[in-house]
Amino acid sequence: MGIAQRYAHVRGQIDEVCRAAGRDPKTVKLLAVSKTVDVPTVAEAIAAGATAFGENRPDQLVPKQAAYPQAEWHFIGNIQSRRIKDIVPAATLIHSVFKQEHLAKIDAAAQAAGKVQDILVEVNVSGEESKSGLEPGDVRAFLEAADAFDHIRVCGLMTMAPRYDEQTVEITFRGLAELRDKLDGLHLPHHGQVVLSELSMGMSEDWQCAIRHGATIVRIGRAIFSDEFEPVA
Ligand SMILES: *Cc1c(COP(=O)(O)O)cnc(C)c1O
């Protein structure tokens, strides 16, 4: 299978898992994580219908967004302060925000670009040391801090599950959904109600579980772009 076939195959599987879970497939966005492929290769996914891509490095995000401005480009990687000015103009949605000290820089870059930057708050639900993100108990204070900025809109939460342990994966995704339910509608002094409509969770190996727990964005790289990926049953 080539990239176009794998993209179509994954999208078809997502639609099936949605229907089995009683969800409308239109409520789940497939983010094609193109971080391992070059600029021309992205065209193969676009030809198959891909409309939204994820990148984890500004050096990849910026040229790919410039080459395919018709697509959405999401930033899903580690944020370095000095690269915020490059990330913001190119990013439809930044999934990986969890440091309060980045908020003022994101706000300033968004203002300079004449936009309101949509962001997700990255949460380390599993508590695994190698994972970045806020502890669930710190998310409320983060939302309160973000409320001070006119050019930032928090749209939801993002997490990564630890690999290869089904039970922890399930606990992680359920935990993010529960945290969203708890904080959604929170009333803040400046912007009013916080609407956390997006749950970004699920990757090549665990997206099925994420959809069953309410994911609205699944971030899938290898299952689309690698011919070596073997889906787990
Ligand atoms: C690479 C990456 C993905 C995609 O992972 P695959 O296992 O290739 O599907 C998703 N989210 C983040 C944050 C990533 O860095």
Side-chain angles (χ1 to χ4, degrees), residues 46-69:
I46 290 181
T51 57
F53 293 88
E55 288 290 336
N56 66 346
R57 305 176 77 114
D59 291 345
Q60 292 287 314
L61 175 77
V62 171
K64 285 174 180 163
Q65 191 277 333
Y68 307 101

Side-chain angles (χ1 to χ4, degrees), residues 3-231:
I3 287 166
Q5 287 102 314
R6 281 197 300 267
Y7 179 86
H9 182 68
V10 169
R11 184 65 245 188
Q13 287 182 311
I14 289 172
D15 294 357
E16 263 178 49
V17 171
C18 282
R19 281 190 280 267
R23 298 189 56 195
D24 179 351
K26 286 201 278 295
T27 62
V28 178
K29 177 172 284 185
L30 169 51
L31 190 70
V33 177
S34 50
K35 65 190 183 191
T36 58
V37 300
D38 60 11
V39 173
T41 305
V42 169
E44 297 181 40
I46 290 181
T51 57
F53 293 88
E55 288 290 336
N56 66 346
R57 305 176 77 114
D59 291 345
Q60 292 287 314
L61 175 77
V62 171
K64 285 174 180 163
Q65 191 277 333
Y68 307 101
Q70 72 273 33
E72 289 184 13
W73 289 90
H74 296 214
F75 190 75
I76 62 174
N78 179 47
I79 297 171
Q80 290 177 289
S81 283
R82 64 189 173 84
R83 302 309 302 272
I84 286 172
K85 63 180 189 327
D86 304 315
I87 295 167
V88 165
T92 305
L93 179 65
I94 305 176
H95 292 228
S96 43
V97 187
F98 63 94
K99 291 189 175 152
Q100 286 198 19
E101 69 257 33
H102 289 159
L103 290 170
K105 286 206 167 96
I106 293 170
D107 184 74
Q111 182 169 23
K115 69 191 275 194
V116 172
Q117 181 65 58
D118 287 339
I119 68 166
L120 306 179
V121 182
E122 183 168 355
V123 186
N124 183 356
V125 180
S126 65
E128 206 190 7
E129 258 180 59
S130 65
K131 296 271 178 277
S132 44
L134 288 175
E135 282 180 34
D138 293 337
V139 174
R140 188 193 176 106
F142 189 90
L143 295 173
E144 286 165 357
D147 185 49
F149 297 98
D150 283 330
H151 303 89
I152 292 177
R153 177 169 50 217
V154 182
C155 303
L157 308 177
M158 178 272 219
T159 198
M160 290 175 75
R163 293 253 162 127
Y164 307 124
D165 171 356
E166 259 178 60
Q167 217 182 337
T168 317
V169 169
E170 173 125 39
I171 290 167
T172 302
F173 293 157
R174 192 190 308 129
L176 194 72
E178 285 172 0
L179 183 63
R180 190 274 312 275
D181 293 347
K182 193 170 116 187
L183 295 172
D184 190 34
L186 180 70
H187 195 87
L188 293 175
H190 191 61
H191 287 287
Q193 281 213 332
V194 181
V195 181
L196 300 175
S197 48
E198 304 295 340
L199 282 180
S200 169
M201 56 190 195
M203 307 177 18
S204 290
E205 270 159 27
D206 55 21
W207 61 263
Q208 293 91 338
C209 177
I211 287 178
R212 289 194 285 269
H213 287 286
T216 62
I217 305 174
V218 289
R219 309 179 308 269
I220 299 185
R222 287 170 302 146
I224 297 169
F225 291 106
S226 166
D227 51 18
E228 279 156 31
F229 180 75
E230 300 273 353

